Amino acid sequence: MTHRLLQIGPITPAVDARLAAEYTVHPLWKEPDPAAFLAQHGAEFEAAATHLRLACDAALFAAVPNLKVLANFGAGYDKIDIDAAHRQGVQVSNTPDVLNGCVADLAMGLLIDVARGLSTTDRFVRAGGWKTGQRPLMTRVHGKRLGLLGFGGIGQEIARRGVGFGMTVRYHTRRPVADTPHEHVESLRDLAEWADFLVVACVGGAATRHLVSADILDALGLQGILVNIARGSVVDEAALVAALQEGRVGGAGLDVYENEPNVPESLLAMDQVVLMSHIAGFTRESRADMEALVGDNLAAYFQTGKVLTPV
């Protein structure tokens, strides 16, 4: 007999197919009244799977009192109440590290694009502007100062790429990271004041909400460039818009936003801003690795009692 698994919402076709093949899956999102279903059947599930965009709050965990494992598709878990899960003895897994390189690639791509005006120059050429003039001088990337807010797996991958460009790298975290040649800066404001480029690569959630405030943006300065490939909540978006409009920050490369998929109209109109659609980990390779890890975490739990990548 296969184990019963509660699937909070659709994940990807590959994950959905593997779960259906290996477990007796109940698709919660197809229930007309999910709360009523859980009130009647929630105690029947030991395992669950979810997508990073779906909320798993304390009420949900309370409704599945015998839950022991929740496999999350995504490195981020800011929509999961981890404290509630742990109080209930639920192991939560995510899919970290497998997308670090791809996210770091996009971070550097955004950094270069904003600094050198790749997207704006592409539009300029397509519109015929080169026939009558030339674009203004832009900013060099190599040899500059790269500041990282967050220095986990993704931050360290970005640092490696920055070193390849001859950049000096410093980072800010709550505590210094061992075994790195890069300098830890205790104050985020001091890091922003020092950096030519400030890349946001920390976790989301209440603890990091609006860490990049108006004050931090002012410290980054009128030549500074902000890149965010973490979570939109980390940056005070209204403050960023104001700083860009008033020329207090040089530019921004954004893959994430406070209210996705809604992007402020004011950002859409700015040539010094490059906008992505939360695609930092969207490559065929990283997607396949993430899909495999969701199933592997569940399989490991049922085989050994422990997930592979616990949160």
Side-chain angles (χ1 to χ4, degrees):
M1 179 181 294
T2 60
H3 297 282
R4 294 197 69 195
L5 182 137
L6 182 70
Q7 189 170 341
I8 309 301
I11 300 176
T12 70
V15 173
D16 295 349
R18 177 174 175 180
L19 296 180
E22 297 180 2
Y23 305 96
T24 300
V25 174
H26 191 91
L28 183 63
W29 76 95
K30 293 184 179 180
E31 287 291 335
D33 189 341
F37 172 82
L38 290 177
Q40 185 173 0
H41 299 284
E44 301 170 9
F45 297 97
E46 180 182 356
T50 190
H51 191 287
L52 67 92
R53 291 196 174 93
L54 303 173
C56 294
D57 57 14
L60 185 140
F61 287 113
V64 281
N66 296 317
L67 192 70
K68 295 294 183 286
V69 60
L70 173 65
N72 177 47
F73 177 85
Y77 45 85
D78 41 297
K79 292 198 173 182
I80 299 174
D81 190 331
I82 299 297
D83 290 338
H86 289 172
R87 283 195 301 269
Q88 197 167 309
V90 179
Q91 295 183 46
V92 179
S93 68
N94 64 340
T95 57
D97 300 330
V98 294
L99 48 68
N100 289 358
C102 289
V103 176
D105 288 347
L106 188 76
M108 290 302 296
L110 283 169
L111 187 155
I112 295 167
D113 195 339
V114 179
R116 296 299 305 271
L118 305 187
S119 293
T120 53
T121 303
D122 175 80
R123 293 193 292 270
F124 170 78
V125 173
R126 290 174 187 272
W130 195 16
K131 296 175 182 177
T132 57
Q134 184 54 285
R135 294 267 299 143
L137 294 171
M138 300 299 288
T139 299
R140 189 183 77 191
V141 172
H142 70 274
K144 290 298 187 82
R145 295 171 295 196
L146 174 62
L148 295 167
L149 169 53
F151 203 63
I154 292 172
Q156 291 175 41
E157 287 289 342
I158 297 170
R160 291 187 187 98
R161 286 153 178 75
V163 169
F165 278 82
M167 304 175 87
T168 302
V169 178
R170 295 179 183 175
Y171 69 96
H172 170 74
T173 54
R174 285 177 293 180
R175 292 174 295 276
V177 175
D179 301 322
T180 176
H182 305 300
E183 180 179 336
H184 176 260
V185 180
E186 291 189 5
S187 161
L188 176 56
R189 194 183 196 287
D190 288 346
L191 180 68
E193 196 168 49
W194 168 84
D196 298 305
F197 302 95
L198 179 63
V199 180
V200 182
C202 62
V203 299
T208 58
R209 176 175 167 76
H210 288 186
L211 266 184
V212 180
S213 61
D215 181 57
I216 299 303
L217 294 167
D218 284 341
L220 184 58
L222 54 89
Q223 297 296 325
I225 289 173
L226 178 76
V227 172
N228 189 5
I229 45 76
R231 288 290 180 267
S233 61
V234 182
V235 176
D236 183 336
E237 197 165 79
L240 175 61
V241 168
L244 289 164
Q245 287 175 330
E246 296 164 14
R248 293 184 284 111
V249 169
L254 306 173
D255 186 44
V256 290
Y257 311 88
E258 283 207 71
N259 186 28
E260 297 176 5
N262 302 304
V263 179
E265 288 291 330
S266 49
L267 288 177
L268 301 178
M270 296 180 187
D271 264 354
Q272 76 273 40
V273 179
V274 178
L275 305 171
M276 298 285 106
S277 55
H278 203 150
I279 61 163
F282 277 29
T283 64
R284 289 184 291 272
E285 296 84 356
S286 63
R287 173 57 60 90
D289 289 341
M290 290 170 67
E291 290 171 337
L293 191 49
V294 171
D296 291 348
N297 267 305
L298 288 167
Y301 169 78
F302 285 113
Q303 291 166 10
T304 71
K306 300 289 185 182
V307 297
L308 300 172
T309 54
V311 174

